[in-house]
Amino acid sequence: MTGARPIARVLIDSPVPQLDRLFDYAIPDELVSGVVSGVRVKAPLRTAGRVVEGFVVEVAAEDDGSRTLSDLEQVVSSARVLPERLYRLARAVADRAAGSAGDVLRLAIPKRMVRAEKAWLAAERGGAPTVTGLSEATLELAAFPGLADRIRSAERLALNAQPRPDAWARLLVAAAADTLAGGRSAVIAVPDHRDLDRLQSIADEHIPSDALVRHDAGQSGPERYAGYLRTLEERPCVVIGNRSAVYAPVHQLGLLAIWDDGDTLYEEPLAPYVHARDAALVRQGLERCALVFAGHTRSSDVQRLVEIGFVTEVAAARREKANVRLSGTREDERGARVPSAAFRAAKEALDHGPVLVQVARPGYAPSLVCADCRAPARCASCGGPLQASSRGAVPVCGWCGRGAHNWACQKCESVRLRLSSSGSERTADELGRAFPGTRVIIADGDHQVREVGPEPALVVATRGAEPVADGGYRAVLLLDGERMLQSPDLRIGEACLRWWSNAAALAAPGSPVHLAGVNGPVARALASWTHAGYARSELAERAPLHLPPAARVARVEGVGAAVQRAIEKLREHIPDLPPDAVLGPVPLEAGERFGPTAQRALVRFDYARGAAVATSLRASVIAEAVSTRRRKDRRKGARAALSVRLDVLDPEL
């Protein structure tokens, strides 16, 4: 064959690392008109002897027709679901995390729904959306001088929202409405469905329905796919959603905002495990849009970006703070779960409206101990912790669910049990007796409550499950603070400050917020509402230890020899890597997926070396995968030899 011929460069949809590249395919004459960039196709995979799906990334003409190429099998659909801007983002995010672009695209592109796609292809496209209530939105932006102009100038910004109910949502919707009115799109990411519902209820007031796209994992398949297809249109829109919303391929992105980036729900549990904040930073660098990190608190990750000058802090014209009081810190009240000052505040507030009580755990009694020796009560069958579902109920194992009818302590042989902690249900029971005649509402994972009215009520909620009160709570009680701070998480101080601040922001302006029984830096930061200062101190403590976010950490695990080879190649590739950068390798516990010789190593490195580390470790993963496949003794279903994860989370350290 001589002369020019059309070829398609295809990204194969496969988790195999060595297939994470573009493959050239010849385009048969009958498919020439249908093969364009962005469409789904089916193509033969010679090494596997089967046909797989993929995306056409590029169509080109090849002058040298002597090269042997396989023909594309089929065009799955004429919908161009992979725009060039999304592929560039997926490739950049994957390269930063030493992962595959296909894995990123599986997070970004929902599963194809044929009926929704056909309806979208046949629909007529409307004109530019019209924004309503823009003057009100501009008023919200005016609380932060220069914010609107900075967003239009595509700057990277960090701001602390005012501690008022829904103030954060109104601010972000105002910024999105202003961006949409300027002819550009906006994306707002929030941690969970409660935040998403609040955001949508306010966005409905300003954003036209045909320009507002909700991106939610709880949606049905057709709804989610139809929303994704809307983002592909060359018309601006506003996307609101959870962590994967940061990949929405909207037309002319003008604003990318992340609310409360410290929430662990932004941590992606699937490969390549990229945090939504990191994906947003990569996208801002590619598309030159405004990037806004907003929250009631400041994560140490964002504080690092502020301190190096990469992100600019924007302060409100008039600083507001919650009316926080530290209760139960006197000697005579230590150990009291509800200090006298907090109890009096709740009693007085119930004459005017609802009172919020935040607790650490759901259930009645999340844990039991021996009444005599205080040893944790364990299940005789599996060793799991015993729990009580109600007062006087038979203890039940939290792991296997068996009832402990004839329990006896393994240490002192006592048969008496004692409640060691109070969950939301037990707290509601106790407060109900303390405030007879008062309505008590439980809000936790088993009792979903989104909103409460302005009528007097005690609302007992676990952290993160607090409903919004009409007009705000007349008092907020933050209990179990010491118990929350005892978690072994390296970032527990940041987490507690975020939980408490988000609850405090639900109080009506001027209403008291009582933090019970907690002293120290976290309590002082809450009382003074100096979240940036606390994040600064956390960052300073982590820097000498080379802990995230002061440094990046990669985890390398696999067959012992493969881990050793990867570390050796890394040192060859980066000769100036400090001697103490690599921790390990150390043996993994028996039963792990890499077999009896499995090992793990951690690599600590600064951000400037990030690209070099990712490139080296990714090359090692591919080399080990190819080597494993070529071995003659390889059996079907054999384990991978090496696994790499960058930006390891603190709990995994």
Side-chain angles (χ1 to χ4, degrees):
M1 182 177 179
T2 60
R5 60 172 174 174
I7 63 170
R9 294 192 170 96
V10 178
L11 179 68
I12 299 298
D13 185 8
S14 171
V16 180
Q18 58 265 41
L19 299 183
D20 181 37
R21 60 185 180 89
L22 299 183
F23 289 83
D24 288 354
Y25 286 91
I27 305 176
D29 293 340
E30 64 272 16
L31 298 182
V32 168
S33 61
V35 177
V36 294
S37 62
V39 299
R40 282 187 175 96
V41 293
K42 288 187 177 180
L45 192 61
R46 186 180 303 170
T47 55
R50 57 192 174 92
V51 175
V52 295
E53 283 200 5
F55 297 98
V56 176
V57 174
E58 182 184 357
V59 177
E62 184 179 62
D63 293 331
D64 179 14
S66 62
R67 188 164 60 118
T68 302
L69 294 178
S70 299
D71 288 347
L72 288 178
E73 291 278 341
Q74 176 188 349
V75 176
V76 176
S77 168
S78 61
R80 303 175 71 169
V81 294
L82 179 59
E84 190 267 343
R85 58 185 178 271
L86 178 55
Y87 173 73
R88 285 193 299 117
L89 174 62
R91 182 73 272 163
V93 168
D95 289 345
R96 184 185 187 278
S100 298
D103 288 337
V104 178
L105 292 178
R106 275 190 287 274
L107 302 174
I109 303 177
K111 184 179 179 181
R112 181 178 179 237
M113 296 291 159
V114 178
R115 288 186 180 180
E117 187 175 89
K118 287 183 177 179
W120 178 73
L121 290 171
E124 294 184 1
R125 304 289 179 255
T130 302
V131 181
T132 59
L134 192 57
S135 59
E136 181 183 343
T138 305
L139 191 63
E140 292 286 345
L141 292 174
F144 291 83
L147 178 60
D149 291 335
R150 289 176 177 271
I151 290 176
R152 297 187 193 107
S153 300
E155 296 186 26
R156 296 176 291 265
L157 309 171
L159 58 89
N160 286 7
Q162 302 287 37
R164 285 180 276 110
D166 288 344
W168 68 271
R170 296 193 179 279
L171 176 65
L172 295 182
V173 168
D178 185 73
T179 303
L180 185 65
R184 305 196 71 182
S185 297
V187 174
I188 304 175
V190 295
D192 61 27
H193 61 92
R194 298 180 184 87
D195 296 323
L196 192 53
D197 289 341
R198 298 304 302 171
L199 190 65
Q200 181 165 3
S201 66
I202 294 171
D204 287 338
E205 302 173 7
H206 303 284
I207 310 297
S209 58
D210 65 333
L212 183 62
V213 179
R214 177 167 175 147
H215 188 94
D216 183 4
Q219 292 175 307
S220 66
E223 286 177 329
R224 189 173 183 186
Y225 191 57
Y228 175 79
L229 294 174
R230 170 62 182 88
T231 65
L232 297 173
E233 298 176 11
E234 293 187 356
R235 295 186 297 149
C237 64
V238 174
V239 176
I240 58 175
N242 304 133
R243 60 177 176 261
S244 56
V246 298
Y247 298 105
V250 294
H251 177 65
Q252 291 187 338
L253 180 62
L255 169 65
L256 178 54
I258 296 185
W259 167 253
D260 202 12
D261 71 287
D263 196 303
T264 55
L265 291 176
Y266 283 119
E267 298 165 359
E268 179 57 59
L270 302 176
Y273 314 105
V274 178
H275 195 286
R277 176 183 52 246
D278 296 329
L281 287 164
V282 172
R283 184 169 189 180
Q284 194 277 335
L286 293 174
E287 301 190 36
R288 300 303 176 187
C289 61
L291 177 59
V292 175
F293 295 109
H296 291 127
T297 58
R298 176 76 54 79
S299 70
S300 55
D301 303 83
V302 172
Q303 184 60 31
R304 184 190 71 85
L305 297 173
V306 171
E307 292 188 7
I308 65 175
F310 193 74
V311 170
T312 303
E313 184 175 12
V314 179
R318 187 171 66 88
R319 180 174 176 268
E320 299 179 14
K321 53 175 290 190
N323 183 16
V324 179
R325 306 172 185 180
L326 305 182
S327 304
T329 57
R330 300 191 321 235
E331 286 290 339
D332 58 339
E333 286 197 323
R334 284 187 178 175
R337 189 159 184 249
V338 183
S340 58
F343 187 88
R344 287 194 303 271
K347 186 175 182 180
E348 294 171 2
L350 284 171
D351 293 335
H352 307 285
V355 172
L356 173 65
V357 181
Q358 185 196 71
V359 297
R361 299 178 180 179
Y364 188 83
S367 60
L368 301 174
V369 296
C370 173
D372 294 331
C373 71
R374 299 295 190 270
R378 295 287 179 178
C379 173
S381 300
C382 69
L386 295 184
Q387 304 172 351
S389 58
S390 62
R391 184 177 294 275
V394 175
V396 176
C397 176
W399 290 357
C400 68
R402 290 186 174 91
H405 295 275
N406 299 313
W407 178 86
C409 178
Q410 296 181 353
K411 289 189 174 182
C412 68
E413 299 184 353
S414 172
V415 295
R416 297 190 306 131
L417 286 168
R418 183 178 184 273
L419 306 178
S420 68
S421 61
S422 297
S424 55
E425 294 180 20
R426 184 184 176 193
T427 303
D429 184 23
E430 293 172 347
L431 291 178
R433 291 196 300 270
F435 296 94
T438 302
R439 185 166 65 114
V440 180
I441 301 171
I442 300 175
D444 55 26
D446 295 328
H447 307 85
Q448 298 285 339
V449 182
R450 306 289 179 86
E451 299 178 354
V452 296
E455 302 82 13
L458 278 167
V459 181
V460 181
T462 52
R463 55 194 184 226
E466 304 91 349
V468 176
D470 186 4
Y473 290 99
R474 300 302 172 179
V476 175
L477 275 59
L478 306 174
L479 307 183
D480 304 336
E482 284 292 342
R483 181 176 295 276
M484 294 182 190
L485 286 169
Q486 290 172 2
S487 171
D489 190 341
L490 291 176
R491 295 201 190 197
I492 190 58
E494 280 188 55
C496 287
L497 184 58
R498 187 176 58 80
W499 295 329
W500 300 336
S501 299
N502 289 346
L506 297 175
S511 296
V513 177
H514 286 263
L515 176 61
V518 180
N519 268 322
V522 185
R524 290 193 295 272
L526 181 70
S528 59
W529 212 253
T530 52
H531 301 88
Y534 181 79
R536 192 179 304 115
S537 65
E538 281 285 293
L539 191 61
E541 290 181 2
R542 288 165 172 268
L545 302 175
H546 304 290
L547 290 175
R552 296 180 67 185
V553 178
R555 183 185 67 201
V556 184
E557 60 183 19
V559 177
V563 173
Q564 297 281 359
R565 285 191 292 267
I567 298 302
E568 290 173 4
K569 288 187 177 297
L570 179 64
R571 290 199 177 278
E572 291 176 6
H573 192 199
I574 312 175
D576 60 341
L577 198 67
D580 62 346
V582 179
L583 304 179
V586 297
L588 285 178
E589 295 181 6
E592 298 265 358
R593 63 191 178 106
F594 296 105
T597 64
Q599 293 183 348
R600 171 183 294 157
L602 296 177
V603 182
R604 300 178 296 178
F605 55 98
D606 55 55
Y607 287 80
R609 290 189 175 94
V613 171
T615 300
S616 176
L617 293 180
R618 183 62 177 172
S620 293
V621 170
I622 294 174
E624 294 296 338
V626 172
S627 175
T628 301
R629 183 173 185 84
R630 287 177 176 172
R631 284 202 301 266
K632 293 182 179 180
D633 61 344
R634 180 179 182 270
R635 297 185 300 274
K636 185 177 180 180
R639 299 183 182 96
L642 189 68
S643 172
V644 168
R645 175 172 179 175
L646 266 67
D647 300 309
V648 179
L649 305 176
D650 282 359
E652 298 175 295
L653 294 177

